[in-house]
Amino acid sequence: MGIPVIQSTAAGPARATTRPGTDQKTETPVRPEVNGLIDRYQRLATDLRVSLTDRCNLRCTYCMPAEGLPWLPKDRLLTDDEIVRLVRVAVQKLGVTGVRFTGGEPLIRPGLPAIVAAAARLDPRPKLSLTTNGIGLARLAGTLRDAGLDRVNVSLDTIDPDRFTALTRRDRLSDVLAGLASAADAGLTPVKINSVLMRGVNDQDAPDLLRFALAHGYELRFIEQMPLDAQHGWDRASMVTATEILAALKAEFTLLPDPVERGGAPAETWLVDGFTALDGRPARVGVIGSVTRPFCGDCDRTRLTADGQVRACLFATEESDLREALRSGADDEELAGRWRTAMWGKRAGHDIDDPTFLQPARPMSAIGG
Ligand code: SAM
Ligand code: SF4
């Protein structure tokens, strides 16, 4: 296989520049011989999400039932070394340039600092980030920064202590706030906050969350709730939409169009008039309209679950098993080939609004959000 015919632009998402040929007999597109993770819709995946565990120390109602879930058995989880090997394959053979560790709750995996350090030693070095609920971050932020972590996203859906406890089913707001502060002190910046709003639960909290984020120099992004909860309780009709979130923010803040091009980023962003971020840049707020404003056409993600399955999409119903291949002695080139094939099969979009939409069997906490 020759030099990859792939291209990444500063302004937009990475794109495959080679158009697929077509099999004359079956008329199905044939994957061109390139190294990168292309699919048949000209997208190129360069952003890897690695789930380090399906377990969690919170029980957010939009994610997990109160009693938790049947966790993956230990022998099915990738070891730290197996994760590092697959990240290396992704970076060195498949053109992945960014790796985000997530879960479940990634901070409860004891090997996290060592995994980050090994990923930071790769050549080329990928950008390294973490999505976490922030519990334990106060203790670990400095260690993770020293290991090579670049940035964190902390999930926080309300700053009201009672609503936090109701929503996460745990009384841990002060740990999350301490984690945010430590991340900023450690320089894991820009520190971003992810918030999900639920009608009748915390939908009144959007302006307070933005005031809190602006006061501390964190960058806030709201995410529309998606049908990925283990309980299958998501309801399109009662979901708080991007339009509603923006209306609530605009009632109290002046939002100006962001001059920075969105590129492949899922968040639509606005400048918050009159506010400045800690680094002196204008303060921003983002809304990720995963359901009502899908960005599938620009998606540049590939996912690896804690048990070693490649998923082309959060909503994929198929997975490709790299764990068994790896444990049966597959070499790096074979693993890379399986990963390429899995991504070539990525569907055009999530089709949540299609009547035939099927929620994936794995919940968000086991896929890696
Ligand atoms: N435990 C970590 C955390 O909460 O940040 C990482 C895993 S969590 C699954 C990743 C992100 O997915 C969080 O920001 C969480 O709010 C979001 N999330 C979970 N379930 C969701 C859902 N059904 N719809 C939208 N976002 C969801
Ligand atoms: Fe845990 Fe994150 Fe799911 Fe909340 S959203 S239960 S913190 S995995």
Side-chain angles (χ1 to χ4, degrees):
M1 207 175 290
I3 297 168
V5 190
I6 53 179
Q7 174 175 298
S8 176
T9 64
R15 283 277 169 201
T17 54
T18 309
R19 293 197 170 273
T22 305
D23 183 303
Q24 302 274 303
K25 284 192 205 125
T26 62
E27 303 226 333
T28 50
V30 176
R31 188 184 183 282
E33 289 280 298
V34 298
N35 290 327
L37 293 172
I38 55 169
D39 65 39
R40 61 196 73 195
Y41 303 100
Q42 309 294 125
R43 294 170 297 194
L44 173 66
T46 54
D47 180 12
L48 169 62
R49 308 268 145 148
V50 182
S51 173
L52 296 182
T53 175
D54 58 331
R55 295 175 188 240
C56 190
N57 41 15
L58 295 184
R59 294 285 183 275
C60 305
T61 53
Y62 54 76
C63 184
M64 271 195 211
E67 66 278 13
L69 292 165
W71 311 122
L72 290 165
K74 190 148 192 282
D75 62 337
R76 273 178 51 197
L77 291 180
L78 295 178
T79 64
D80 293 356
D81 287 347
E82 287 171 336
I83 289 171
V84 170
R85 176 163 172 212
L86 291 177
V87 169
R88 179 169 53 73
V89 167
V91 169
Q92 295 183 338
K93 293 204 169 283
L94 301 171
V96 160
T97 55
V99 181
R100 175 174 293 275
F101 298 104
T102 177
E105 178 43 50
L107 289 180
I108 64 179
R109 182 157 181 144
L112 174 65
I115 292 171
V116 169
R121 283 193 296 271
L122 290 174
D123 183 18
R125 184 199 191 283
K127 287 261 176 239
L128 298 173
S129 54
L130 179 76
T131 298
T132 169
N133 63 27
I135 296 172
L137 193 55
R139 186 172 51 83
L140 280 167
T143 307
L144 290 170
R145 188 254 343 266
D146 293 347
L149 190 70
D150 296 307
R151 279 209 327 94
V152 288
N153 282 33
V154 176
S155 303
L156 176 64
D157 306 317
T158 177
I159 50 162
D160 177 271
D162 292 336
R163 284 199 287 279
F164 182 93
T165 304
L167 203 151
T168 65
R169 302 189 180 101
R170 300 286 187 272
D171 181 10
R172 306 296 295 267
L173 177 62
S174 54
D175 299 273
V176 180
L177 299 182
L180 275 164
S182 299
D185 288 348
L188 295 170
T189 51
V191 173
K192 295 190 181 177
I193 295 180
N194 293 353
S195 298
V196 175
L197 297 181
M198 296 175 79
R199 200 176 299 285
V201 179
N202 64 334
D203 52 342
Q204 69 273 53
D205 286 330
D208 281 350
L209 280 162
L210 183 52
R211 259 188 294 276
F212 167 79
L214 292 169
H216 292 85
Y218 309 141
E219 207 171 305
L220 175 65
R221 301 127 52 96
F222 292 94
I223 307 173
E224 277 180 349
Q225 189 188 352
M226 294 178 275
L228 287 169
D229 56 315
Q231 315 86 293
H232 291 224
W234 180 87
D235 172 22
R236 175 74 156 90
S238 68
M239 186 193 82
V240 181
T241 63
T243 303
E244 291 175 289
I245 296 167
L246 282 167
L249 295 177
K250 285 178 180 170
E252 300 199 27
F253 297 90
T254 303
L255 303 187
L256 304 172
D258 190 340
V260 175
E261 273 210 50
R262 181 176 175 187
E268 287 178 72
T269 51
W270 285 265
L271 304 185
V272 189
D273 194 26
F275 292 88
T276 311
L278 288 183
D279 61 5
R281 293 180 309 146
R284 289 184 160 76
V285 64
V287 178
I288 303 182
S290 325
V291 178
T292 62
R293 304 177 182 193
F295 38 87
C296 303
D298 285 338
C299 180
D300 61 358
R301 295 191 182 163
T302 182
R303 295 173 186 275
L304 181 66
T305 65
D307 57 342
Q309 312 298 305
V310 167
R311 296 178 63 89
C313 171
L314 268 179
F315 294 94
T317 46
E318 314 82 32
E319 300 183 337
S320 183
D321 187 0
L322 293 190
R323 183 192 70 241
E324 276 320 303
L326 186 153
R327 291 182 183 172
S328 313
D331 64 14
D332 287 356
E333 197 42 60
E334 184 181 342
L335 295 170
R338 284 175 181 246
W339 207 321
R340 288 186 192 106
T341 305
M343 293 305 293
W344 180 245
K346 178 165 173 153
R347 284 184 284 152
H350 57 47
D351 295 335
I352 292 174
D353 278 332
D354 192 292
T356 62
F357 171 76
L358 268 188
Q359 183 170 336
R362 264 188 209 259
M364 178 78 125
S365 55
I367 296 171

